[in-house]
Amino acid sequence: MEEEKKEVAVDAAAAPAAENAAAGVEGTEGAEPKRAERGGISRRGLFIGVGSTVALLGLGSLRYAGHNPLNRPPGGTDEAHLVSGCIRCERCYEACPRKVIVPAKIEDGLLGMRSPMLDFNTGNYCDFCYEENGGNPQCVAVCPTDALELPAAYTVGNPETGETGDVIIGIAEIDPRTCLAYRMTGCRDCFDACKYGAIELKDEGGANPIPYVVEDRCNGCGACQAACLSLSSGSIKSTERAIVVRPIEA
Amino acid sequence: MKTKNLRTIIAAVVFGAMAFGLVAGVSTGTLSGFGWDTIAALCPLGALGTMIATKTMIPRAVISLVIMAALVLLVGRAFCAWLCPTTLIYRIRDYFRSPKKRKALAEQKNSEIKAISQQELEGLHAAMGKGAGAKGDAEGGHACGVCGKCQPVKHGKLDSRHGVLAGALLSTAVFGFPVFCLVCPVGLTFATVLVLWRAFSAGDATIGIILIPAMLIIEIVFLRKWCTRFCPLSALMNLVGRFSRTFVPVINDEKCLETAKGASCSKCAEVCEFDINLRHPDFGELTTADCTRCRACVDACPTKAITMPLFAPAKKGTVEVLEPTLEDLEPKLD
């Protein structure tokens, strides 16, 4: 994008020169101030217009560059629809009562920059606003462009009954190389955090219970990832927690 | 208090409140989608973009567009002077300019505008010298058609901004997402606040901390006269603003130094931050179609000849504002 921006900047820098050239051609009035031309587009105008159009088309082609898959807020799992609709107005960040919606970083791809994603490493997770708004996600409600959109009828995960619901953010995945339970520490924080019975233990009640994910019960709420302490306990070299929610790739 | 200071304060307070809301999670939205709960006044360009990209009618976007069009019809591009954070950034940039540079810029603008004014006055005197009173109007006592004053104001039809707007919408239609939103300076300003806040509050390190403000600076510093020559939002508002007839500044020719005393002044043109020459409209880069109702000209006029009435008083048959027709909206390339 830097390059494209520069391109426009160059056009802008070239514009005064073009203006002078234009004045030179028409220069019958000598040094007298030039009447602004109306009813036509000046050469500089053409430069800026065409240059910017080219730059914006270049920027648009980012669509094909794509970006890393991200965990989207409820109603944002149709990636193509979200990218088309989101105008980066930042209302969903504000609306989220648990503050798990954060702007996507440039590192994950320019196309997705500043679009909403869920960050469960904040120590909080998405309960689909079950507690705060009776299961009617606030982010979806405030989204003014319907970029976050749920079908007319839907059920969200119910932490009281343990129902998974049909709004799925992603599926949790355990990395055995970094999971503390695999090191015989007896850690079962993710199992305790899951309200939908999506994590079960091998050798439950034994000395070393090891968690695994039951995929069709997981709705990607992120409670397990929020509770995981693999990065803060034990000197394990990794950039992410041992249990993370992965978006479902279409 | 000078209106300029008032404007700075209003824009700063609104920006501050929204930025605070953004980091504190008060759900009031930013300038891109201001509102409460499910109500939102959407940015008109964003509303257009998102509807083109998704190829669907979005009720909130349509309502926002109608409201915005009505507001622009009432007060023109007032958003630009009173709310837009870009104007605020320009103000900050001006503040940090050295007094020397500030003086040089002011002198340059002054001499430019003075030259226009003098040229127009000379033309006027020449016409009067010839004794051509035939077409002279009773009030000014000079021949019409010589100075800009008596010529109909033709609002600029389309300029470079409309090219940028067309490019933005074209790219949105082709690639199916609101492309300009990625680089919109209003959005980038709020994004800067958010990315800096997250860097400090959540230790969230990203290239964005540098890249987002850098993009903003490139647009505002390197693309000279962003608001007049580039901003597609300003282009969109211009398309409606040209039909606005309310609160448009008018000069009382009996008081104006140039018409009443024949002295070269054009202070109104000199102070206009949006490149409009109210006295000699033909020489401004923009016309009152782009007036932001910033009142700089009203404040600056030495004889208090400029007012912004609710409706412009009926002209005495000399100056008439041409209604642009649909044909005028067609781009004409030379």
Side-chain angles (χ1 to χ4, degrees), chain A residues 98-130:
Chain A
R98 298 180 166 227
K99 301 282 161 271
V100 286
I101 306 183
V102 301
K105 294 181 184 180
I106 292 175
E107 286 87 337
D108 287 318
L110 274 171
L111 176 63
M113 180 174 75
R114 292 165 52 210
S115 59
M117 62 172 272
L118 295 170
D119 182 4
F120 301 126
N121 292 351
T122 50
N124 218 325
Y125 63 97
C126 176
D127 74 340
F128 311 94
C129 290
Y130 185 88

Side-chain angles (χ1 to χ4, degrees), chain A residues 2 33 35-36 38-39 44 48 56-57 60 63 83-85 89 91 94 102 105-107 114 141-143 145, chain B residues 22 25 29-30 33 39 50 58 60 119 154 171 175-178 191 198 204 206-207 211 229-230 281-282 284-285:
Chain A
E2 285 297 314
R35 220 168 260 264
R38 304 248 181 267
R44 180 186 57 212
I48 295 177
L56 285 163
L57 282 172
R63 181 99 203 203
V83 169
S84 291
C89 73
R91 289 212 63 191
E94 293 178 339
V102 301
K105 294 181 184 180
I106 292 175
E107 286 87 337
R114 292 165 52 210
V142 299
C143 181
T145 63
Chain B
L22 190 59
T30 60
I39 301 162
T50 190
I58 299 164
R60 273 182 277 196
Q119 183 201 320
K154 279 194 216 149
S171 183
F175 298 103
F177 74 103
R198 284 189 54 76
D204 200 356
T206 149
I207 314 173
L211 200 64
R229 294 179 184 167
F230 290 89
D282 277 3
E285 197 166 342

